[in-house]
């Protein structure tokens, strides 16, 4: 697994049990019950105030930059991480057909989030697999993996004329891509109030799901950090107090 396919550890400090309404110690916002157990977590902090930190803004802006429409085919390269999982949901909401890169152990989860096809990046080069399945080309690529100076060419080769290649790591050369009738976008995370409001509305409408990977006690936090660094975390880790 490449390092950009490894989801980062997210620690959401919560209260447990006890009955009655509670307020977040950090922001004063209302706490909401987790569907998974007795854990509760802060709706304001998890879904509004810390959108930027949680990288949902990056996913939203990348999807907007791709200018997706109904029927468009988009590849999300690096789909198993936090940004990728959100981008899947945003793209599906726009009516696009989503191809998501994933190791076999998380492909089922990405399909649950809305991905129509998953591409096992451990089996063969992603671009080769996508080209074999879609020889006519695709409409957009959201590249969350390639670093500056990396070989983004094979992903660009997948695009139809007029297609859009969005990089969250500033790995594209827009001028070179323009010569091939491809729109290259190097995304900078700079959310507006309108975008934050749109994100909150999507969450409130149930159109944005956050994956909880584990609920742990504080004493187990070092092991959870080690697990995330090893590449085995698949969502947010909640510390129960």
């Amino acid at each position: 697994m490449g390092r950009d396919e490894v989801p980062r550890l997210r620690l959401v400090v919560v209260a447990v049990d006890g009955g009655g309404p509670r307020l977040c110690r950090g922001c004063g916002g209302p706490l909401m019950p987790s569907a998974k157990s007795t854990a509760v977590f802060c709706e304001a902090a998890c879904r509004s105030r810390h959108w930027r930190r949680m990288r949902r803004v990056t996913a939203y802006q990348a999807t907007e930059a791709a200018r997706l429409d109904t029927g468009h085919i988009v590849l999300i390269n690096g789909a198993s991480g936090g940004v990728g999982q959100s981008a899947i949901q945003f793209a599906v909401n726009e009516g696009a057909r989503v191809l998501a890169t994933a190791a076999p152990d998380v492909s089922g989860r990405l399909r649950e989030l809305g991905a129509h096809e998953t591409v096992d990046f451990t089996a063969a080069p992603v671009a080769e697999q996508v080209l074999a399945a879609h020889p006519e080309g695709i409409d957009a690529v959201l590249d969350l993996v390639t670093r500056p100076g990396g070989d983004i060419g094979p992903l660009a080769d997948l695009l139809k004329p007029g297609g859009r290649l969005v990089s969250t790591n500033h790995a594209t050369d827009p001028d070179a891509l323009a010569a091939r009738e491809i729109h290259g976008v190097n995304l900078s995370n700079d959310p507006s109030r309108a975008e934050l409001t749109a994100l909150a509305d999507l969450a409130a409408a149930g159109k944005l799901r956050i994956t909880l990977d584990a609920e742990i006690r504080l004493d187990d936090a070092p092991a959870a950090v080690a697990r995330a660094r090893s590449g085995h975390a698949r969502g947010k880790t909640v510390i129960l107090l």
Side-chain angles (χ1 to χ4, degrees):
M1 175 180 288
R3 65 177 180 178
D4 293 292
E5 288 282 350
V6 179
R8 290 172 170 79
L9 178 68
R10 303 296 182 196
L11 300 180
V12 182
V13 181
V14 302
V16 295
D17 304 328
R22 298 199 184 187
L23 298 179
C24 173
R25 297 174 185 175
C27 71
L31 292 167
M32 57 181 290
S34 163
K36 198 170 180 181
S37 74
T38 57
V40 293
F41 56 100
C42 175
E43 183 173 23
C46 292
R47 294 188 175 180
S48 177
R49 189 167 67 88
H50 296 312
W51 276 113
R52 182 168 186 155
R53 178 177 63 81
M54 294 174 67
R55 306 187 73 190
R56 297 303 180 269
V57 169
T58 300
Y60 184 79
Q61 291 185 326
T63 307
E64 290 290 292
R67 297 186 182 178
L68 299 174
D69 204 347
T70 302
H72 280 179
I73 301 174
V74 56
L75 169 67
I76 301 177
N77 187 38
S80 61
V83 175
Q85 290 189 29
S86 293
I88 289 171
Q89 297 172 75
F90 295 142
V92 169
N93 194 53
E94 295 295 329
R97 182 173 183 82
V98 177
L99 319 180
T101 63
D105 62 329
V106 294
S107 61
R109 174 55 180 165
L110 299 193
R111 288 182 180 273
E112 289 176 1
L113 293 175
H116 300 85
E117 303 174 37
T118 55
V119 182
D120 181 1
F121 62 88
T122 69
V126 168
E128 291 182 9
Q129 296 182 68
V130 173
L131 186 60
H134 300 274
E136 71 286 357
I138 63 177
D139 301 286
V141 173
L142 305 187
D143 182 17
L144 315 178
V145 175
T146 308
R147 295 291 182 179
D151 186 8
I152 206 168
L155 296 178
D157 291 340
L158 297 173
L159 292 165
K160 302 174 183 177
R164 303 183 72 85
L165 174 51
V166 181
S167 169
T168 59
N169 294 313
H170 286 242
T172 70
D173 183 340
D175 292 336
L177 292 174
R180 301 171 54 183
E181 299 183 69
I182 293 172
H183 301 282
V185 179
N186 288 316
L187 188 71
S188 295
N189 188 329
D190 186 19
S192 66
R193 179 181 295 273
E195 288 171 329
L196 292 173
T197 299
L199 284 168
D201 289 344
L202 287 169
K207 295 181 178 179
L208 179 59
R209 287 178 285 172
I210 298 172
T211 300
L212 294 181
D213 179 60
E215 294 174 352
I216 64 172
R217 297 292 173 181
L218 185 59
D219 291 346
D220 296 323
V225 171
R227 182 169 183 269
R229 288 175 174 170
S230 72
H232 294 102
R234 290 295 179 262
K236 304 293 178 284
T237 296
V238 177
I239 296 180
L240 305 176
L241 299 179

